[in-house]
Amino acid sequence: MSETLVSPVRIGRQAVGALGFLALALGTLQSVVEPSLPLLQRELGIGPAEGALITITLLITGAVVAPIAGKLGDRYGGRRVLVVLMTAVSAGGLLSSLAPNLPVLLLGQVLQGAMVGALPLSFILVRRHLPPGQTQVAVGVVSGLFTGGALVGTLIAGPVAEGLSRHWMFALPTIAIIATTALVSRLMPHDPPIQSDARIDWAGVILLSCTLLALMLGIRTVTSVDLPPLAIGAIALAVAALATGWVAVERRAASPMVDLRMLAAPAMWSSCVLTVLLTASSGMVLFLLPQLLAVSAEGYGFGASTTDIGLFLLPGTIAGVVSGTVGGIAARRFGPRAVVIVGAVVAAATLIGLASLHDAVWQLVVAKVLTAFVAGICTTALLASTATAVDSKDTGIATSLLVVTRVVGVALGAQCAGAILAAGTDPVSGRPTESVFVTGFAIAGVVAALSLLVVRVMKKGTQA
């Protein structure tokens, strides 16, 4: 691999600011769905299982885009690829804003998932156009504003959807993305691509996309439709065949999307398993809490509006923002294993307790804060430990694999929670029964507790 000898053009604060405001707009668009999910279900006439699809569709696209965004930026130039991806995101945001039904909204969410590639591409740009000391500051600014966008989206989703309409909830951040993308394209100089003989693993990208989609649709179909055992077996075989095909392609590819050979390392496979368990538990909470808050106050619910739900979820969003920094510090001081053990115990106790105590809003708010904080510090600790456990040349691949694993875990948790609610919905009232929420929280707690078993197996394997 050789890089051009032309000295990169230096950029100023305006260009970094444009990247930061783009990240802010992207974070806002990404986060408007969670507090407004009950409203979307009502207006689109769909149930919890279909609502879970809205939650996970963007994540699935992101899981596919994340590992290849940096490669595309190196091959074709960061600015060019960023503009292309933001064009797809803008098209997705406009589709979501105009969507008259669920299929169109899901298509919009698929396109919006390209936003996951914005951060690695932004980092490529600032690394090429700034000296090392300023690069770290710029990366912090862009990352912080993307995270801040999650707070903005959580806050504005309700007032915009209720004051204007659900359409504007998607349209306003999309307009901001279009404007800031144009500004980035104008202020950011062209970055020459790095010449490389490595090819993009398009076969792996396509097969992974099909595998994840088949898995999520399979879970929804099996749990929401009364299928005969033969049909369930056929669905399982189809998912297994796609997954097997993806593994075969990745093992033979010269430049694989994900280097599966790394999974043979104990630190890698154990981190992936722990990440799936912890994020699946978190994904179930992510879906269940807004649903419980929105259930009519007649009985066990709270009848919260979209605006109220956003305010109730805000402390949890803030906890998730803070947890990234705390996770890195805790992993360095106490070690990732200790962080995961404490986190798993707290998450399991919180969720099992929530199964019994969920008759006051403050209980739900505290549970959201604790689970979001625990999921954040644990996944950050696992990322940090994995990054230092592999060879330096494999750091990008290893962390990308964990990012994909984290997205898959959240998506699985949300889809399973949606299936549980759909299975326990009263056909007369159209509302889930209270016992279904109890079951969902208890299962999420058990899934978190399984992390302790994995940690114990890890210790035995290391000693052996």
Side-chain angles (χ1 to χ4, degrees), residues 28 32 151-161 169 172-173:
T28 302
V32 295
L151 303 179
V152 175
T154 302
L155 282 175
I156 71 165
V160 171
M169 181 180 70
L172 290 178

Side-chain angles (χ1 to χ4, degrees), residues 14-384:
Q14 290 182 332
V16 175
L19 284 173
F21 281 115
L22 175 61
L24 179 68
L26 290 170
T28 302
L29 180 61
Q30 182 188 37
S31 59
V32 295
V33 168
E34 183 184 356
S36 62
L37 192 55
L39 180 145
L40 291 172
Q41 291 175 197
R42 289 195 305 270
E43 294 200 1
L44 295 174
I46 59 176
E50 291 81 4
L53 285 177
I54 301 175
T55 303
I56 67 175
T57 301
L58 185 149
L59 297 176
I60 292 175
T61 307
V64 176
V65 171
I68 65 171
K71 292 183 179 179
L72 291 172
D74 285 337
R75 177 179 287 263
Y76 301 109
R79 189 188 70 169
R80 178 188 300 178
V81 176
L82 180 63
V83 170
V84 171
L85 289 184
M86 292 307 98
T87 301
V89 172
S90 300
L94 293 176
L95 266 181
S96 298
S97 68
L98 299 172
N101 51 43
L102 179 63
V104 177
L105 179 58
L106 291 179
L107 177 58
Q109 293 297 296
V110 168
L111 293 173
Q112 284 179 218
M115 73 171 64
V116 177
L119 285 182
L121 290 171
S122 297
F123 299 158
I124 286 174
L125 289 172
V126 297
R127 188 176 68 240
R128 290 184 183 174
H129 297 292
L130 288 174
Q134 295 180 23
T135 295
Q136 295 175 357
V137 175
V139 167
V141 168
V142 174
S143 300
L145 286 174
F146 182 81
T147 304
L151 303 179
V152 175
T154 302
L155 282 175
I156 71 165
V160 171
E162 293 169 353
L164 298 173
S165 72
R166 65 175 172 86
H167 305 288
W168 284 103
M169 181 180 70
F170 295 104
L172 290 178
T174 301
I175 293 171
I177 289 171
I178 294 172
T180 50
T181 299
L183 192 60
V184 168
S185 180
R186 179 181 177 183
L187 295 176
M188 189 65 62
H190 173 67
D191 55 313
I194 296 175
Q195 301 299 321
S196 173
D197 296 330
R199 297 180 178 179
I200 303 297
D201 180 22
W202 292 116
V205 170
I206 294 171
L207 280 171
L208 178 60
S209 304
C210 293
T211 302
L212 293 175
L213 185 60
L215 177 62
M216 300 308 165
L217 291 177
I219 292 174
R220 175 185 174 275
T221 302
V222 169
T223 54
S224 60
V225 180
D226 189 13
L227 294 176
L230 187 61
I232 296 175
I235 292 174
L237 284 175
V239 175
L242 287 169
T244 302
W246 177 65
V247 170
V249 167
E250 293 303 278
R251 292 182 65 180
R252 296 179 181 178
S255 180
M257 174 187 178
V258 176
D259 189 353
L260 297 178
R261 291 170 296 183
M262 295 183 64
L263 287 175
M268 196 69 231
W269 70 257
S270 58
S271 292
C272 287
V273 174
L274 286 170
T275 299
V276 166
L277 291 174
L278 292 167
T279 54
S281 175
S282 177
M284 293 185 73
V285 177
L286 179 76
F287 183 81
L288 289 171
L289 285 186
Q291 303 288 336
L292 180 54
L293 288 167
V295 171
S296 172
E298 299 175 1
Y300 65 91
F302 302 94
S305 66
T306 303
T307 300
D308 292 334
I309 292 174
L311 290 173
F312 294 148
L313 296 179
L314 183 62
T317 304
I318 295 173
V321 172
V322 174
S323 64
T325 302
V326 176
I329 296 173
R332 185 174 67 247
R333 182 168 183 179
F334 304 107
R337 184 173 179 273
V339 173
V340 171
I341 290 175
V342 173
V345 169
V346 172
T350 299
L351 292 171
I352 293 174
L354 191 60
S356 302
L357 300 173
H358 51 262
D359 53 358
V361 170
W362 71 265
Q363 295 168 348
L364 274 63
V365 172
V366 170
K368 174 65 174 176
V369 168
L370 289 175
T371 53
F373 185 76
V374 161
I377 63 170
C378 288
T379 53
T380 300
L382 290 170
L383 275 169

